[in-house]
Amino acid sequence: EGVYQVLRADDFSAGSVPAFNGVDWTDIEVSGDWPIKEVRGSAANVLSERRVVSTINLFPSGMAFDHAVYSHGEISATGNLSINGSAYATEGVSLGGNASISEDAYAPEEMTDSTKSRVDGTAHEFSEIIMPPEIDISEYEDIADTDGTFFTNLNDARSFIESEPAGNPVVYVDNPGTLSLNKNNLDFQGTIITTGGFSINGGELMSDPSNEPLALYVQGDFTIRGNARIYGIVYVEGSTTFGNGTNRIIGSLLSTQPTSDLTINGNAQITFDPSYGNAWKNIAGLDRESGSSPRIVEWRED
């Protein structure tokens, strides 16, 4: 009952739980920072009193950011893929060749022995499904429009990014085509949002985890090649291709559609960086009501 009252309340702070059927629930205590809340409640009769503590995750989709790679589909790789951290896939994990995961792998289905042998941590089969978090890019559009960093022309957007502007700008590109960056020594610090595809050939992109951990949002397909490096959270709705060279993502990669394939032609290294992964609550356009319903992650008697 205490958990139900907390979930139906508009404010989850202690003392805010409304009365229910005339009963004042002053014996329900709520603590913790969003999205993890701890609810402590008690019930009594003439013989006994029972106290129960439930830990609730109000936004389970946020757990997608806890992994080096999250896929709302399958993680399937037979090439030179190194996932330095954990990985989660809603439709299974299948590894061959030189592909490896340095920590745990999670999937709602079974994994083959061949895949398990390439997981240095534990292969967690039959895991609960984590739906992808959603990001409302209109907030970034407003920021870019205000700051003069909104582009509809791909050449103008490319020129601006490759000029390496200061101040960690948000660059919003509203064009269904592919924004291609080809400056080998590129050093761009900021956030890029594109409604089309994105391709980077060499150079470096870096977001600021203390301000905005999202480095790249791609509604189309994403290609990284030429020994390129991206520091931050990379959110892709289309397919992801790692081309020639040793290409790195340091932060996390979220592949958010069931049809989002992962193709590896060169060497792919994806390394979880907690300075980005743990800062996901700072993402400006994060839809905090998207994905999965709240779930109880722990229950105990006090």
Side-chain angles (χ1 to χ4, degrees):
E1 179 62 35
V3 170
Y4 170 74
Q5 293 298 327
V6 170
L7 293 179
R8 71 189 291 270
D10 293 331
D11 180 2
F12 299 108
S13 60
S16 68
V17 180
F20 179 69
N21 286 347
V23 178
D24 184 8
W25 292 96
T26 54
D27 56 348
I28 296 175
E29 299 177 4
V30 185
S31 60
D33 296 326
W34 185 90
I36 305 298
K37 291 290 184 177
E38 190 170 82
V39 181
R40 178 178 277 101
S42 63
N45 56 37
V46 295
L47 298 177
S48 64
E49 180 175 309
R50 189 181 191 191
R51 295 181 179 274
V52 175
V53 181
S54 299
T55 302
I56 312 173
N57 189 335
L58 299 173
F59 187 59
S61 290
M63 292 188 289
F65 296 105
D66 295 336
H67 306 286
V69 179
Y70 165 88
S71 174
H72 185 34
E74 185 181 22
I75 295 175
S76 177
T78 57
N80 296 317
L81 170 65
S82 297
I83 298 176
N84 301 313
S86 62
Y88 176 94
T90 61
E91 295 184 8
V93 177
S94 177
L95 303 179
N98 294 321
S100 65
I101 298 174
S102 71
E103 296 184 14
D104 296 350
Y106 299 82
E109 1 180 293
E110 288 185 278
M111 302 181 207
T112 66
D113 290 340
S114 176
T115 292
K116 293 177 184 177
S117 70
R118 291 169 170 81
V119 178
D120 293 342
T122 302
H124 297 273
E125 300 170 303
F126 309 109
S127 300
E128 289 192 75
I129 291 178
I130 300 173
M131 296 300 290
E134 296 178 10
I135 297 176
D136 181 5
I137 59 175
S138 66
E139 292 199 30
Y140 296 97
E141 183 178 3
D142 292 341
I143 294 170
D145 192 51
T146 300
D147 295 343
T149 54
F150 175 91
F151 299 93
T152 56
N153 183 281
L154 295 175
N155 290 329
D156 291 344
R158 181 187 307 111
S159 296
F160 179 79
I161 292 168
E162 293 184 349
S163 72
E164 301 174 4
N168 292 289
V170 170
V171 177
Y172 189 104
V173 184
D174 188 10
N175 188 301
T178 298
L179 173 64
S180 298
L181 305 180
N182 295 290
K183 185 178 179 181
N184 287 331
N185 61 346
L186 175 67
D187 181 13
F188 175 82
Q189 299 185 27
T191 298
I192 298 174
I193 311 291
T194 175
T195 60
F198 180 84
S199 173
I200 181 170
N201 184 14
E204 180 175 296
L205 305 180
M206 178 180 291
S207 62
D208 178 6
S210 64
N211 180 33
E212 174 56 71
L214 183 65
L216 185 62
Y217 181 106
V218 184
Q219 282 192 334
D221 295 335
F222 166 54
T223 300
I224 176 172
R225 63 185 186 275
N227 301 316
R229 300 174 306 280
I230 300 177
Y231 294 81
I233 295 172
V234 178
Y235 187 105
V236 182
E237 293 190 14
S239 297
T240 297
T241 300
F242 285 82
N244 63 290
T246 298
N247 302 289
R248 299 176 175 89
I249 294 174
I250 301 92
S252 60
L253 170 64
L254 277 70
S255 187
T256 62
Q257 301 297 320
T259 56
S260 299
D261 297 326
L262 174 62
T263 303
I264 302 160
N265 297 320
N267 297 314
Q269 296 182 7
I270 306 170
T271 301
F272 181 75
D273 186 335
S275 64
Y276 294 103
N278 295 342
W280 59 267
K281 287 183 281 188
N282 294 339
I283 293 175
L286 183 67
D287 183 349
R288 296 187 172 206
E289 296 182 357
S290 65
S292 307
S293 299
R295 73 177 55 153
I296 296 175
V297 294
E298 185 180 79
W299 180 96
R300 70 181 189 274
E301 300 234 19
D302 200 4

